[in-house]
Amino acid sequence: METSNSGKMKKYLFFISIVFLVIITSHLSYLYIYNDAETTPVKWWNISEGILWWIINLNPLLNSNDENETILRLAHRSLLKYNPENWNFVKDLASCDIKNLKNIVCYIEPWQMWSNETEISIDDVYKTYSRLKEVESSATIYPFLQDVDITKTENKIVFSSDNSDINHIKMLLQFIVPWDTVAAMTAEEVSGVITNPNQFLYSWPYSITDITNDETTWIRSVILSRNKRFNDPNYHIDKLSFRFFKDPNDLIKYKSMINVFNDTENILWEYSPRIKTYEYKLPKITSIFVNTDTIENKNLRAFILEKIQRDDIIWALGEQFTKTMNPFATEADTTVELENKDLSTMIASYEYYSKSNIVDFLLTDEQKEKLAEDAQEDDSWKYRENPKLEYAFEPFTNKYNFIEKDNLLLKWSVDAGTEAVYIWDYKLTGFNKWDTTFFYRLEEETYETIKKWINNYEIFFENNEGEKESIVKFIVAYNPDKTLLESYKNELLWLDPTQNYSQEVAVVEISDEERELKEKLDALDDNFFYNRDLKKFWFSLAYITGDQNLEKTAQIIKNSLEAFGIEIELKTISSAKLASELAEWQNNYDMILVWLNLGYFNYDLFPYLHSSQSKTWYNLANFAKSSLDESLETLREKTTSSDDENKQKENIIQILQEEQIMKSIYQPNERLLVDKNIKNFKFWDYLPNYSERMNYVRGIYTIEQKDPKLEKKSVSWFVWFLISQLF
């Protein structure tokens, strides 16, 4: 029995040994065969990108730098394309000589095909540009085309102009469509909304093959399929689907169906271990410009820009923004610390004054004389220790004052240079340094500055060293009941028995005209400034419509400036027609809040600050200075060294500090969340344009295969392989 069991055990162990031998041999054979195998991607699978956006226009004739162009850049080709790895332009449909920006010559590359297998011709290119030149469609391209002559030969197209503008290169990024298609389009169709994917032929790696709408007609998804006529071996993904969401909660709900998230709002930044984050910057800087035509006072411009606090704005908007000190995104701050912060003096040049000073302009000479006479009328009262204490409308100047009605306005003359005025510990908010007078209202219910009893008041002046000096003490006994008011005299007699209180204070009744004037004055806000017609001092602030962050920023700026006495009227302006609307507005704005898309040219400020761009383009401050022009022009020259480039940037920043015409506020932090299952994913920490992020599609894949090199395999080499693995 034991012998039988021993035999079975031996057989079992022998079987196990054979199994292990087979497994080990198979594993070693696999390693040997595939140890130097080449890994290649499999052309398959679908990548889905989730986007918080729902306003889609698939018109390739428009340039928008948003999700529209992001999709179109995968479906349509242009003469040139941008290479984010080397920060340069490379050929796409054409090879272009851009050394001479006044005469750009492009040669169409041969064998370029539309998705229907017809050849892309020079006529397609020429007709596209000619049609765009006729119709004011693209805010990016149309203005440049107006100064450009376009000619063509059999395979060459030439763009000629008198202007050596580096932004002309943007024209070469225009998407091209078939000549018969664009020729048949009306002006409205050229510049209108297009959502039909079958209206155009395609020329890039992908074609738009499907669009899904919901019951409210907004687009929920756009599907792009690999264009079989485009034979670039570096494109492996068969389909790209873009899913659009109005509500962030919907995006979160369907996140498991998505491979890539454009997470600008930081919605999904730490939700899953399968996601890797790629952060990048755009040369898109939110800035405010001050119109120097309407705000000529440099100190006032400096005051306005200083009061716009970047930290407060970013705190309100969220961590998806980075504070930006200047348009080159370096550490130098263009705002300055003010030495003289006296806003009332600056605004006085506009003939606007604080509420405390405007009284001098409200009263006629006759009213002023009457008040002066009333102030000295009661000579029987010998306790007039305070000749400076004046009154507006119902005057009294005594140390002891008895009144039967409240809502009286005290007026007081102020020493020059007084920093602040206090009634006891209360600092008057309506008083500004260099004011010549201040006012204080005695009112029972709303302001609670007086009560039915004996009220003690003490006035202090604060000097520039922060020291407070007591100027006067006085008492106001108040009660509408004459009997009670008379009894207060006995109380005061107990305090000061040497005085005779038998005689009442004479209260001067005011006329209807003076009362009406008083009511107008009471209606004024202590914090603002007014002219002789009681019109409030204000500036207009325009901002680009449709951008929630700009709208929030504009409201924060409005609140900040109004806290210092400058009322702000908000206006909206269209981004697509910014230049034309500004020309129509002329100087009907004082400040304007925009994001500067400095594009492909290393923070090129020429369109925004050069004197040639004023009135007709984007010099929003309407500012001109020859030294600024020279630095801007030098920066545009590609021959400048890095040292010279830095010198010119420093010069521009210094001029901005001196002139106070603009302030950079923040720059967006862009974030792309990518499924780790996507292989060979490359991205960049800086992109010149939002739509250029789709360059990541080139080269990515999700499935791979290994191709062994069998011609190098043999039994003898297998022995050497085993020895190398063991020893």
Side-chain angles (χ1 to χ4, degrees), residues 250-265:
D250 289 339
L251 188 149
I252 296 173
K253 180 180 178 182
Y254 294 102
K255 63 181 182 292
S256 60
M257 303 170 59
I258 296 170
N259 307 109
V260 179
F261 304 90
N262 186 39
D263 194 27
T264 303
E265 303 297 327

Side-chain angles (χ1 to χ4, degrees), residues 445-463:
E445 294 183 1
T446 304
Y447 290 91
E448 298 181 346
T449 51
I450 194 171
K451 62 181 182 297
K452 295 182 179 70
W453 184 236
I454 299 170
N455 301 268
N456 291 276
Y457 298 93
E458 185 169 6
I459 298 176
F460 297 86
F461 287 177
E462 181 182 298
N463 60 27

Side-chain angles (χ1 to χ4, degrees), residues 463-642:
N463 60 27
N464 56 11
E465 295 180 356
E467 299 172 342
K468 291 199 300 185
E469 178 187 358
S470 177
I471 301 302
V472 69
K473 295 180 180 180
F474 60 95
I475 293 174
V476 178
Y478 158 65
N479 201 302
D481 189 320
K482 287 187 177 182
T483 303
L484 292 176
L485 184 62
E486 183 69 23
S487 69
Y488 295 163
K489 294 181 181 181
N490 296 327
E491 299 289 339
L492 290 173
L493 183 62
W494 179 82
L495 293 174
D496 191 353
T498 63
Q499 310 306 327
N500 178 9
Y501 298 102
S502 60
Q503 192 170 359
E504 292 186 5
V505 175
V507 177
V508 180
E509 293 294 336
I510 62 175
S511 66
D512 291 341
E513 180 182 358
E514 290 170 327
R515 186 177 297 280
E516 181 181 354
L517 197 57
K518 174 179 178 296
E519 291 174 354
K520 289 181 179 180
L521 181 66
D522 287 347
L524 302 184
D525 193 312
D526 290 325
N527 195 44
F528 291 96
F529 299 86
Y530 301 87
N531 64 8
R532 296 169 187 262
D533 298 324
L534 297 185
K535 301 296 183 182
K536 190 183 294 185
F537 182 81
W538 61 277
F539 283 137
S540 61
L541 171 60
Y543 65 93
I544 302 297
T545 185
D547 188 315
Q548 292 184 353
N549 291 316
L550 283 184
E551 182 178 354
K552 291 179 182 177
T553 302
Q555 187 61 53
I556 294 169
I557 293 174
K558 172 182 170 70
N559 296 341
S560 298
L561 294 178
E562 289 186 347
F564 290 95
I566 303 177
E567 185 172 42
I568 300 297
E569 177 190 9
L570 296 180
K571 297 182 176 182
T572 58
I573 187 169
S574 166
S575 173
K577 298 182 178 180
L578 179 59
S580 59
E581 287 195 25
L582 288 178
E584 293 175 2
W585 281 14
Q586 296 178 348
N587 282 328
N588 195 20
Y589 71 95
D590 301 300
M591 293 169 280
I592 185 165
L593 181 71
V594 297
W595 44 261
L596 309 184
N597 193 335
L598 302 177
Y600 296 91
F601 308 113
N602 193 21
Y603 296 95
D604 176 31
L605 293 173
F606 187 98
Y608 305 99
L609 295 176
H610 197 275
S611 60
S612 65
Q613 309 297 294
S614 183
K615 312 295 184 184
T616 57
W617 198 226
Y618 292 137
N619 184 335
L620 306 176
N622 289 317
F623 179 77
K625 191 168 187 173
S626 58
S627 58
L628 179 59
D629 288 349
E630 291 172 5
S631 291
L632 293 168
E633 293 163 6
T634 303
L635 275 182
R636 282 201 151 189
E637 299 175 4
K638 294 301 181 182
T639 58
T640 56
S641 66
S642 58

Side-chain angles (χ1 to χ4, degrees), residues 66-84:
D66 51 26
E67 300 297 352
N68 301 324
E69 189 174 336
T70 299
I71 297 174
L72 294 172
R73 197 167 286 281
L74 292 167
H76 298 275
R77 301 182 75 179
S78 50
L79 296 179
L80 295 182
K81 63 181 178 180
Y82 183 77
N83 180 2

Side-chain angles (χ1 to χ4, degrees), residues 205-378:
Y206 295 92
S207 300
I208 300 174
T209 54
D210 189 30
I211 296 179
T212 303
N213 296 62
D214 71 354
E215 65 278 0
T216 60
T217 71
W218 70 274
I219 295 176
R220 296 188 64 91
S221 67
V222 176
I223 307 297
L224 284 79
S225 301
R226 196 151 57 89
N227 189 345
K228 305 305 180 183
R229 299 298 115 202
F230 188 83
N231 297 317
D232 188 331
N234 293 303
Y235 288 85
H236 311 295
I237 300 299
D238 258 10
K239 285 189 177 181
L240 292 166
S241 62
F242 294 86
R243 300 175 182 272
F244 302 97
F245 302 92
K246 286 183 179 179
D247 189 340
N249 294 320
D250 289 339
L251 188 149
I252 296 173
K253 180 180 178 182
Y254 294 102
K255 63 181 182 292
S256 60
M257 303 170 59
I258 296 170
N259 307 109
V260 179
F261 304 90
N262 186 39
D263 194 27
T264 303
E265 303 297 327
N266 295 321
I267 298 169
L268 303 165
W269 66 279
E270 60 177 6
Y271 91 94
S272 172
R274 75 177 178 90
I275 293 296
K276 182 176 180 180
T277 300
Y278 295 84
E279 296 187 354
Y280 64 101
K281 294 283 189 184
L282 296 171
K284 179 178 177 181
I285 299 177
T286 297
S287 304
I288 185 168
F289 289 83
V290 182
N291 188 348
T292 57
D293 283 353
T294 61
I295 307 180
E296 298 179 4
N297 188 319
K298 187 189 301 183
N299 290 332
L300 182 54
R301 298 201 298 263
F303 181 93
I304 291 170
L305 296 181
E306 186 200 36
K307 300 309 175 187
I308 299 172
Q309 298 298 315
R310 301 182 182 97
D311 291 334
D312 294 343
I313 294 173
I314 293 173
W315 181 86
L317 296 182
E319 63 180 10
Q320 66 269 28
F321 297 97
T322 297
K323 179 169 63 176
T324 306
M325 310 303 284
N326 62 67
F328 298 115
T330 64
E331 295 299 319
D333 194 353
T334 56
T335 51
V336 294
E337 181 69 24
L338 294 176
E339 294 182 2
N340 180 8
K341 299 185 179 182
D342 181 25
L343 180 61
S344 60
T345 303
M346 304 177 202
I347 294 182
S349 63
Y350 293 85
E351 296 188 354
Y352 281 79
Y353 306 91
S354 63
K355 177 179 176 179
S356 58
N357 287 335
I358 195 62
V359 175
D360 292 335
F361 300 100
L362 293 177
L363 300 177
T364 64
D365 292 340
E366 182 180 351
Q367 289 171 325
K368 291 179 182 178
E369 291 177 4
K370 180 177 182 296
L371 293 178
E373 292 173 0
D374 292 338
Q376 301 176 6
E377 188 176 70
D378 188 8

